[in-house]
Amino acid sequence: MTDNLTQKLIDGLAFIPNSWQIVPTNGNKQPLGYQWQLYPFNKNELIRSLQSTGSVKVRNCNGNQLYVYPKGIGVLTGKQLVAVDVDGNSAMSALQKLSKHRSLPCTVAFTSGKPGRCQYLFSIPNCTNAMLKSRRIRTRVKDEALEIRYAGMMSVLPPSVHPQTGQYRWVRDCSP
């Protein structure tokens, strides 16, 4: 039998494309498991595990497997998927400047619900790790930055727990 949060995660996984690599997370936006980048889940195996036990098996630093009870899910970036994390109005201004004030293409977007915060996911076909690097662009406003996430990073997806707002949500008309 699954609890409400586990059922929400199972239901939320239905929206996720089969090609996305999924990482279980805790309630503080952190991935679960040692070297989590090397051991992502596909959505179907994660659903099966959550349905049967409410938990998933991850590795610890000794290489042993242990059961964890995730409070969220994240998508592993890289392999043609990049996340653009806009943390605040000054970060949006930085993104607009980088894009030369052109509109962003329509894409998947989600938010924690904090004002001025939004993440965008873009598929970039035929991209190699050498072509795109992760980076954090600080702005002059405290606690605001523009972050581009690529190889070996992840972004927490809806309906995961957010420590300050309760839960991540899809931006209207922007779910996968």
Side-chain angles (χ1 to χ4, degrees), residues 109-127:
F110 49 97
T111 181
S112 64
K114 290 176 76 174
R117 276 21 185 212
C118 190
Q119 285 193 57
Y120 303 92
L121 292 178
F122 296 97
S123 176
I124 303 177
N126 305 317
C127 188

Side-chain angles (χ1 to χ4, degrees), residues 121-135:
L121 292 178
F122 296 97
S123 176
I124 303 177
N126 305 317
C127 188
T128 65
N129 287 349
M131 295 170 69
L132 188 60
K133 300 288 184 201
S134 298
R135 67 182 300 182

Side-chain angles (χ1 to χ4, degrees), residues 95-117:
L95 180 59
Q96 289 171 343
K97 185 177 178 182
L98 282 173
S99 67
K100 298 179 180 168
H101 298 280
R102 291 184 294 234
S103 297
L104 291 177
C106 186
T107 191
V108 173
F110 49 97
T111 181
S112 64
K114 290 176 76 174
R117 276 21 185 212

Side-chain angles (χ1 to χ4, degrees), residues 6-19:
T6 302
Q7 190 58 54
K8 269 188 183 180
L9 293 177
I10 291 167
D11 294 345
L13 283 162
F15 289 98
I16 306 301
N18 289 331
S19 61

Side-chain angles (χ1 to χ4, degrees), residues 39-102:
Y39 306 105
F41 292 81
N42 70 49
K43 82 174 193 177
N44 293 324
E45 67 185 341
L46 196 57
I47 288 170
R48 280 192 299 275
S49 184
L50 291 172
Q51 285 175 331
S52 66
T53 65
S55 65
V56 295
K57 277 194 237 180
V58 297
R59 288 168 176 74
N60 67 14
C61 62
N62 298 322
N64 299 320
Q65 291 191 332
L66 64 136
Y67 286 94
V68 296
Y69 296 86
K71 296 189 185 296
I73 53 173
V75 61
L76 183 65
T77 56
K79 295 188 180 181
Q80 303 180 352
L81 188 65
V82 65
V84 177
D85 187 0
V86 178
D87 276 341
N89 293 326
S90 65
M92 180 54 81
S93 295
L95 180 59
Q96 289 171 343
K97 185 177 178 182
L98 282 173
S99 67
K100 298 179 180 168
H101 298 280
R102 291 184 294 234

